[in-house]
Amino acid sequence: MKLLVVMDPIDTIKPWKDSTFAMMLAAQQRGHDVFYATPEDLWLDGSRVMVDARPVAVFDRREDYYQLGAPLTCPACEFDVALMRQDPPFDQRYLTVTHLLSLAQRDGLWVINDPQAVRDCNEKLFTAWFPQCMPPTRVSARADHLKAFITEQGDTILKPLHAMGGAGIFRVRAGDPNTNAIIETLTHRGRMPIMAQRYLPEIRQGDKRILLIDGEPVPYALARIPAEGETRGNLAAGGQGVGQPLSERDRWLAAQVGTTLREKGLVFVGLDVIGDWITEINVTSPTCIRELDAQFGLDIAGELIDHLADRLPRHISD
């Protein structure tokens, strides 16, 4: 394959834990041609999407972990597959990239994940497609709706809809004197909807990340255990990643969403599961490959790349 990886600047990543880097390593090991671009390297010439890309060689080490070749400019559709691996927030910049990649996909580029689906499937709101899998939830910009939910549930989590890594997440109990201030801040004084979910005490056993490749789950999850005094399990918020086999409930949850993911072209997805419930469905740039590979001797990125290579002829014929 001729593979284009659209990602945040490669010199800012931590290669020992970066899932995008794992994908690049796996593709290179299999003899595929790997090219690197940032979102700013995509541009439009008339109706044709162009890209300023550079061939990249990657090395599995902490320092001097990549080498870029001479830049080239070409239509994006000259590549076989593009991995869209830009991190949120899902803002206007992110939205524009999905529009450009949709145009390139019209001309024959296969984009993972499908940019239309990434636009449609907000990582928090997408859980509402599967009500049997989600905890009690309310989304609103109005303080009265949110405060009523907090009173009903007694103990809740409030979070913005477009952030990542645990940013902007608050635990709010009924009667908390900071409730009004937290809601005003998160909703931008009633202009921005946010999500409220019932607090799940099972978070103490970890916020599990379950990775799916074309709707099929990897058989192990990474339980992200909150640090002392924290309610967030996110690794970016100091959580500790502990791998564990999927439970029967985990497999049931994955089966509930798998068919829809396949139908929408969401090939690589991460479910966030606390206790028995899916709290988020990550479709932008799911992580935790490196941690699971290290703990269980897996090659998750290799499975993904092999799957893409196997499906590419069928995708071209379609």
Side-chain angles (χ1 to χ4, degrees), residues 50-102:
M50 306 292 292
V51 60
D52 299 324
R54 302 183 71 171
V56 59
V58 289
F59 311 97
D60 196 4
R61 56 198 186 205
R62 286 181 171 245
E63 304 291 339
D64 300 321
Y65 53 86
Y66 71 95
Q67 182 177 349
L68 298 177
L72 64 94
T73 298
C74 66
C77 62
E78 289 189 6
F79 294 92
D80 295 310
V81 180
L83 297 179
M84 184 183 177
R85 293 289 301 175
Q86 177 187 355
D87 283 340
F90 197 90
D91 52 16
Q92 287 297 321
R93 173 175 175 262
Y94 207 118
L95 186 63
T96 299
V97 173
T98 69
H99 286 303
L100 291 174
L101 289 174
S102 283

Side-chain angles (χ1 to χ4, degrees), residues 203-214:
I203 185 64
R204 291 190 290 269
Q205 284 77 54
D207 180 356
K208 289 182 286 189
R209 167 60 55 82
I210 300 173
L211 297 175
L212 296 93
I213 297 174
D214 209 17

Side-chain angles (χ1 to χ4, degrees), residues 4-311:
L4 176 67
V5 183
V6 181
M7 59 184 288
D8 297 307
I10 194 170
D11 60 345
T12 67
I13 68 172
K14 297 175 180 176
W16 62 92
K17 63 179 297 183
D18 192 272
S19 292
T20 306
F21 189 76
M23 296 174 190
M24 299 166 81
L25 275 173
Q28 178 179 273
Q29 290 165 356
R30 286 156 173 75
H32 303 298
D33 296 324
V34 184
F35 292 78
Y36 157 79
T38 66
E40 290 73 30
D41 293 323
L42 292 167
W43 51 287
L44 196 63
D45 183 22
S47 64
R48 173 173 284 188
V49 178
M50 306 292 292
V51 60
D52 299 324
R54 302 183 71 171
V56 59
V58 289
F59 311 97
D60 196 4
R61 56 198 186 205
R62 286 181 171 245
E63 304 291 339
D64 300 321
Y65 53 86
Y66 71 95
Q67 182 177 349
L68 298 177
L72 64 94
T73 298
C74 66
C77 62
E78 289 189 6
F79 294 92
D80 295 310
V81 180
L83 297 179
M84 184 183 177
R85 293 289 301 175
Q86 177 187 355
D87 283 340
F90 197 90
D91 52 16
Q92 287 297 321
R93 173 175 175 262
Y94 207 118
L95 186 63
T96 299
V97 173
T98 69
H99 286 303
L100 291 174
L101 289 174
S102 283
L103 281 170
Q105 189 159 259
R106 174 202 63 184
D107 293 335
L109 177 66
W110 186 19
V111 183
I112 308 299
N113 285 319
D114 182 273
Q116 176 68 58
V118 171
R119 287 196 295 276
D120 289 346
C121 301
N122 174 275
E123 297 187 322
K124 275 76 170 176
L125 293 173
F126 193 28
T127 56
W129 286 57
F130 312 98
Q132 72 277 23
C133 302
M134 67 187 294
T137 299
R138 182 166 296 175
V139 174
S140 179
R142 285 179 45 172
D144 57 337
H145 292 321
L146 296 167
K147 287 192 287 186
F149 183 81
I150 294 168
T151 299
E152 291 166 11
Q153 301 300 323
D155 198 350
T156 60
I157 294 292
L158 303 185
K159 53 188 173 181
L161 295 177
H162 302 287
M164 63 166 285
I169 294 179
F170 290 85
R171 181 180 178 183
V172 182
R173 297 174 177 87
D176 189 323
N178 295 308
T179 299
N180 287 336
I182 291 170
I183 291 175
E184 287 176 7
T185 299
L186 290 179
T187 65
H188 299 262
R189 293 187 175 273
R191 295 190 299 273
M192 181 68 69
I194 64 169
M195 174 171 279
Q197 285 183 329
R198 184 177 69 194
Y199 172 74
L200 301 172
E202 295 91 341
I203 185 64
R204 291 190 290 269
Q205 284 77 54
D207 180 356
K208 289 182 286 189
R209 167 60 55 82
I210 300 173
L211 297 175
L212 296 93
I213 297 174
D214 209 17
E216 295 297 326
V218 172
Y220 298 91
L222 191 74
R224 297 160 296 172
I225 312 295
E228 187 68 29
E230 263 285 359
T231 58
R232 302 171 297 173
N234 309 74
L235 300 182
Q240 176 189 3
V242 178
Q244 55 188 239
L246 297 188
S247 66
E248 288 188 15
R249 175 70 177 187
D250 294 335
R251 292 183 181 277
W252 181 84
L253 292 171
Q256 296 301 298
V257 305
T259 299
T260 299
L261 299 180
R262 282 191 293 272
E263 290 172 349
K264 288 183 171 293
L266 293 167
V267 175
F268 189 67
V269 171
L271 305 182
D272 287 351
V273 173
I274 300 176
D276 289 337
W277 309 105
I278 297 174
T279 59
E280 296 185 18
I281 303 175
N282 296 270
V283 302
T284 51
S285 56
T287 60
C288 297
I289 285 178
R290 299 285 261 176
E291 293 86 352
L292 286 169
D293 281 358
Q295 292 188 39
F296 298 106
L298 307 176
D299 183 14
I300 298 169
E303 290 182 36
L304 172 64
I305 296 300
D306 289 342
H307 177 78
L308 298 180
D310 290 343
R311 274 196 54 192

